[in-house]
């Protein structure tokens, strides 16, 4: 690994003309700052080039594809949804392991060797790969010998998601959970103590009374059952059943259960949320603070690489030429106009070069998605201007853009909803679907007539895309359905289902017309991407529990498609005869394949009836099987769901606490200053402008001459996530620290910027 | 009503000698400031004297007694727990009405007439009284004529709690709910829209498939049922049952339900919490800010009344003589030492008079509960000093105070827990109870030997009281039980139950020995009093729903003590035959008396199985009965429980965000400065010192000579509530505003302080 830097080469080239290597190094820093990557890459030119390759989109997409492939192998392994022979799945897994190993080797070539071996995530990756390989060999040997073999390494698979370089967000989530654990543990122990005390009391009060549950089972007959029953009561799943026998015996016993529920369900569960929320906030803020600091430092390094010292001994600065080359290297698809805009924002005083303070902003500026809206003339206006600019045509355009047009279509949607609700077997109503489809199509065509198509289908126009996709799909599905029906009288249920779903989805659009809903919707949509991190977190935990559950409980409970089958009554297991599990028809809630296991885990997450499920599986195996279900409850419901709630709360509070003025970035101000911006409606939502109705589109046909040909519009979804908001909040705090850090960076820069990399204060990374 | 002030009388007396009237006026202001009362009382001497009577403890206690009596009449009215003839309950209610009316007349005499009629809570009170009287007359007439009559005014009773002058906290809670409503409504409408859309989709997908639920009922057969089923799914009460038929038909349908639960249960419920929490915080802070401001103004008024202008034209000040008389008037039971301490805190420079800034603190200072701990010698030491100070006695004292003594008793408690868990029918274990009781008694006696008894039983020593009460009660109950058993072999279940409960409660003490638990416990205990406000809030809502529920559903479902009764199988109502309600044995969950109704409402609050309960009552009346249950769910679970969670969260966050230094008040600092304070352990909890174990007691036998005879200790429970914490937080913000307000107050004071009352910026009060 070539970890030596090349100061000689750079010295020969001279400080003022920036070499390709310098630009690449600077672009690596800027790109890392832009995407909040914290990688101590080696600064030799070869390593930097390798590093730039490492960060390209294709290898990352491939990596995630192979992780997904590896994870989805569970569907084909015993117990399988689609059974494949073991050699096939193992071959596929071997391929995945190769890809992961390759990626790891690439990473090892990019960063200094000592850094590589100090990083727990790399050690974890190597351990996962080695253990998986070992398991495959053992399994292969045992399988060949005809012995019973267990693929235990499958529980390690989801850890890949956590330990790949890109799993930053996920590692952060796990870290914040780990940091909150000691405090959660205190409350949890007190909570368990409370349950134990109440159980003892319940045992003493009810044991000797000879009460029976509604199933005729003994009531609080031993301590372990009492603890389990009362733990279930905390989750409210067996309320009020667990109380009824005692309450029937005497009304006074209701007091016991009411006190229990008040203390354990209401107070302790709120305290859990409080502790989780508080720790989540605390560590999140600390991590974001470190991220902001690391970003500043990286930009300072990039500046140190690119800076040129003017002849007159003034402040070091970056020339426009270097800056242009850098930006094009960092973001190759950037438009010329956009680059010009960014430069004009950075170089406010038009000096032809920018100083450090202006340069450091670049990472944030690049994160703001600016669209260059060229106010193109409508194609029809170009093709037959006489017709398009005629009075009737102009009148039509005015109509379509009128508020009444939108209201009319909202009314049509409501009428459509009523028609959907009515029985579609009556031919009049069945045919009305064609009318509504025609109306919706007409709406889209009219809007396309008025609005320039590329503007209409711009990436940020969520509702335009939504409408068009839904209507076109519904049209196709309806045609196929009608064709099938008329040809042989046969109707495919699947296609009909799709038609129904599409029809109903169309109704959602009405929400966007109502202002009070739009704000909430936009907040929800904004939270969306971050919920994906929670999706991964849940996936990791679910996968581990699903694989463990399949090994423990596969084949114990069977589902029979034919309800008349005599075995269907007890789910194919005589031990379940007469149990609540079989009586309620929960046979399909089993661990016989990974899909069923996931659905079962969702049901456990929702909590209700989890005691019936756990008792069912305890009945077919052993009482201790309940431990699996209680563990799942503690992990997912008490910890992860609370983190999720904490996250939603925090996102909403940030939304409320920041008003519009805080969010006006430099760039936005500049755009306004240059009067290039598109007029935005004041009544609009206060955070996300990204999702707009087509009503706000810039009509291209009017007064073209008076408007500039080039317009910018900010559609900065990414910049306005919770993280970004927090980062902005902390940037104020960091101003002072930053000045000190700058002094250091300058000192380093005079020596050699390439080696100063190690000084960057990064958050410590570790595996989950 | 005499609302004219008497400047002439005061002018005759002269400004420097303060009349009794002035002192009473000032004490009324100070007392109002101390207890955060906001009453625009009339400032004439007669009215002030009446006002002071109005605020005495006895009439307030009597008022609450009669409110409770009025509320508890529901237990004796039809449908009754203890049936009484209608004339008896109506006579009692008439008595209550008289008391309320008297209290209202008293209030009317205290405040100016125009203020009285402008205050909505007075109008509400009058309306409640008038309507109740009207209802009683109508009911009496109809009853006498033998017609069907309804006591509809009973739902108004809980509103008395809200509208009495003392219901400040409750009114505040209702105000914060009302203020949050518009925002909650937006989210709620979107949430309902989402349920409607999903229901339409479910209807289209599942209606025509001919699926059946596990009860054999049709599955998503009409839109109203679909909406209800999916609303129930939001509360998770019918998960996974509502999903199973579709899931059995095709695994793909699980996706529909998972998306539904994710959107509606997880996301929307979190958003509800976020909106409620955010609004709660916002309005709470606004109200507390106004309270702090009003408090300052009131103190400024009191100062203006009492101030004396020195001859040399310096700053106006309050002399020590006036101050002493004022304090004794405000708090008659204050000790001389305490008064001295407060004065020395206020008059820091020993000038013999205090200026306005120092005077304004008085309300806060009075709220700090300072105990004067006289380090009395142990009575035994006085009676037989030779014995008590002998070497063995001193050794015993050292033992008892040693850490090992506490640990030994913790171990005894754990062993006791094991014995309790074992079967008490075996004589060895039954007799062990005596040994444990003896051990616990010994512990208390030993501690009493070491610690001065009045110190041991000081009001703030929660755990000492707890121990003693539990052990003594257990001793008495065990003796009674044994006596009953040995006399006739008869054992009273009730007494045995009490013995069991007391035995188990004893175990709780172990929590206090573990440091990590003590902090959480203290926070919970600190939240306790404020939870009582929520208790009232819940009581109001429950009462209204209970009375309404009794009118709607009384007698529809019957509970038979004897399970063998043929009517018990269907709760005495053939309409329930075969329903889940009857099968699960929910017959006692009925509205046949107010106790049963309250227990049922608790079950609805816990949410689980509420759909079974609501379907049961819908079956015996009409489908629209579900509206009652859905309304209850929206009111209690979505709004009130979320406010409760928000409150617990906020209390915990305040606990975390304020460290000890913030809480060191002037008084605490002064006590430390004067070196009068009791040494407090550093390892103690950081907020509440009020609840301490006896280990922290001041041992009275050691080095008595070296310590002062008088000690102060701060046991400021009230001062350290959430409200008080918030008030302290805002006091910093208010410093500036206060200065301006002071200028006004001075200007007013020069004119006539009595009429300036109207300027106080109070939060607007209104009825719920």
């Amino acid at each position: 690994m070539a970890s030596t830097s090349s100061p000689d080469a750079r010295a020969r080239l001279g400080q003022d003309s920036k070499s390709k290597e310098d630009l690449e190094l600077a672009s690596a820093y800027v790109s890392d700052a832009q995407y909040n990557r914290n990688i101590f890459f080696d600064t030799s030119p070869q390593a930097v080039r390798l590093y730039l390759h490492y960060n390209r989109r294709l290898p990352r997409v491939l990596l995630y594809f192979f992780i997904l492939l590896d994870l989805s192998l569970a569907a084909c392994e015993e117990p399988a949804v689609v059974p494949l022979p073991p050699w096939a799945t193992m071959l596929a897994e071997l391929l995945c392991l190769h890809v992961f190993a390759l990626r790891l080797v690439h990473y090892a070539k990019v960063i200094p060797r000592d850094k590589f071996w100090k990083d727990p995530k790399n050690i974890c990756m190597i351990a996962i790969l080695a253990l998986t390989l070992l398991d495959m060999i053992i399994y292969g040997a045992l399988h060949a010998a005809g012995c019973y073999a267990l693929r235990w390494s499958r529980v390690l698979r989801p850890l890949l998601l956590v330990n790949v370089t890109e799993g930053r967000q996920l590692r952060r989530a796990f870290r914040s959970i780990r940091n909150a654990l000691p405090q959660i543990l205190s409350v949890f122990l007190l909570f368990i103590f409370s349950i134990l005390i109440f159980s003892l009391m319940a045992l003493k009060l009810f044991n000797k009374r000879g009460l029976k549950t509604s199933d005729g089972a003994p009531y609080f007959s031993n301590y372990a059952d009492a603890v389990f029953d009362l733990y279930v009561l905390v989750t409210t799943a067996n309320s009020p059943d667990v109380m009824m026998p005692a309450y029937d015996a005497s009304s006074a016993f209701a007091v016991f259960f009411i006190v229990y529920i008040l203390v354990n369900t209401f107070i302790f569960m709120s305290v859990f949320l409080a502790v989780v929320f508080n720790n989540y906030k605390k560590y999140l803020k600390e991590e974001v603070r470190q991220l902001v600091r690391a970003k500043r430092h990286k930009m300072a390094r990039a500046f140190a690489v690119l800076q040129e010292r003017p002849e007159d001994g003034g402040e070091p600065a970056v020339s426009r030429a270097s800056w242009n080359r850098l930006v094009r290297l960092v973001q190759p698809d950037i438009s010329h106009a956009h680059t010009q805009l960014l430069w004009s924002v950075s170089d406010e005083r038009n000096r032809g070069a920018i100083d450090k303070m202006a340069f450091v902003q670049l990472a944030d500026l690049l994160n703001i998605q600016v669209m260059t809206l060229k106010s193109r003339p409508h194609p029809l206006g170009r093709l037959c201007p006489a017709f398009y600019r005629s009075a009737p045509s102009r009148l039509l355009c005015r109509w379509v853009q009128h508020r009444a047009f939108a209201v009319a279509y909202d009314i049509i949607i409501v009428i459509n909803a009523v028609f959907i609700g009515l029985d579609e077997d009556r031919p009049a109503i069945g045919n009305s679907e064609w009318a509504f489809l025609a109306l919706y199509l007409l709406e889209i065509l009219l809007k396309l007539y008025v609005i320039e198509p590329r503007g209409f289908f711009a990436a940020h126009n969520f509702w335009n895309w939504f409408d068009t996709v839904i209507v076109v799909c519904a049209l196709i599905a309806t045609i196929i359905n009608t064709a099938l029906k008329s040809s042989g009288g046969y109707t495919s249920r699947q296609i009909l289902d799709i038609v129904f779903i599409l029809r109903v989805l169309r109704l959602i659009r009405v929400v966007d017309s109502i202002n009070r809903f739009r704000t909430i919707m936009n907040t929800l949509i904004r939270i969306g991407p971050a919920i994906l991190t929670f999706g991964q977190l849940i996936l990791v935990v679910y996968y581990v529990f699903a694989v463990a559950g399949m090994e423990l409980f596969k084949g114990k409970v069977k589902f029979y498609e034919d309800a008349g089958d005599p075995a269907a009554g007890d789910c194919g297991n005589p031990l379940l005869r007469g149990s609540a599990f079989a009586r309620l028809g929960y046979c399909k809630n089993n661990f016989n394949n990974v899909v069923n296991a996931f659905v079962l885990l969702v049901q456990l997450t929702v909590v209700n009836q989890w005691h019936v499920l756990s008792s069912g599986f305890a009945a077919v195996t052993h009482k201790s099987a309940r431990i699996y279900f209680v563990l799942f409850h503690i992990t997912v419901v008490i910890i992860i769901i609370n983190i999720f709630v904490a996250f939603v709360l925090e996102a909403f509070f940030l939304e409320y606490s920041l008003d519009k003025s805080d969010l006006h970035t430099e760039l936005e101000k500049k755009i306004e200053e240059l009067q290039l911006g598109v007029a935005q409606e004041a009544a609009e939502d206060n955070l996300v402008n990204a999702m707009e109705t087509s009503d706000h589109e810039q009509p291209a046909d009017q007064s073209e001459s008076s408007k500039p040909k080039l317009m910018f519009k900010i559609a900065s979804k990414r910049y306005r996530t919770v993280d970004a908001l927090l980062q902005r909040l902390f940037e104020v705090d960091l101003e002072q620290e930053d000045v000190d850090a700058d002094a250091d960076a300058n000192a380093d820069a005079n020596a050699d910027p390439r080696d100063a990399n190690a000084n960057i204060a990064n958050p410590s990374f570790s595996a989950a």
Side-chain angles (χ1 to χ4, degrees), chain A residues 617-678:
Chain A
F617 283 98
V620 296
T621 52
H622 183 259
K623 271 204 163 179
S624 58
R626 288 170 172 177
I627 295 170
Y628 172 90
F629 293 88
V630 172
L631 262 184
F632 184 82
H633 181 261
I634 294 169
T635 315
V636 174
V637 180
I638 293 188
I639 299 177
I640 295 182
I641 295 295
N642 273 334
I643 292 229
F644 175 77
V645 174
F647 167 78
V648 174
L649 288 182
E650 187 65 17
F652 261 76
F653 295 162
L654 276 175
E655 166 92 18
Y656 285 124
S657 62
L658 288 168
D659 56 15
K660 195 157 187 163
S661 63
D662 291 329
L663 287 162
H664 261 274
T665 60
E666 280 298 308
L667 193 65
E668 284 168 295
K669 281 182 202 146
K670 191 75 186 181
I671 290 173
E672 274 178 13
E673 221 175 280
L674 300 173
Q675 294 208 315
L676 292 168
V678 174

Side-chain angles (χ1 to χ4, degrees), chain A residues 157 166-167 567 768:
Chain A
R157 283 179 194 161
E166 288 76 12

Side-chain angles (χ1 to χ4, degrees), chain A residues 77-106:
Chain A
E77 289 165 338
E78 196 52 43
V81 185
V82 185
L84 283 181
W87 61 263
T89 59
M90 281 168 78
L91 216 62
E93 184 153 21
L94 216 53
L95 176 68
C96 294
L97 291 187
H98 264 101
V99 173
F100 306 145
L102 263 177
R103 182 81 177 158
L104 201 62
V105 169
H106 191 166

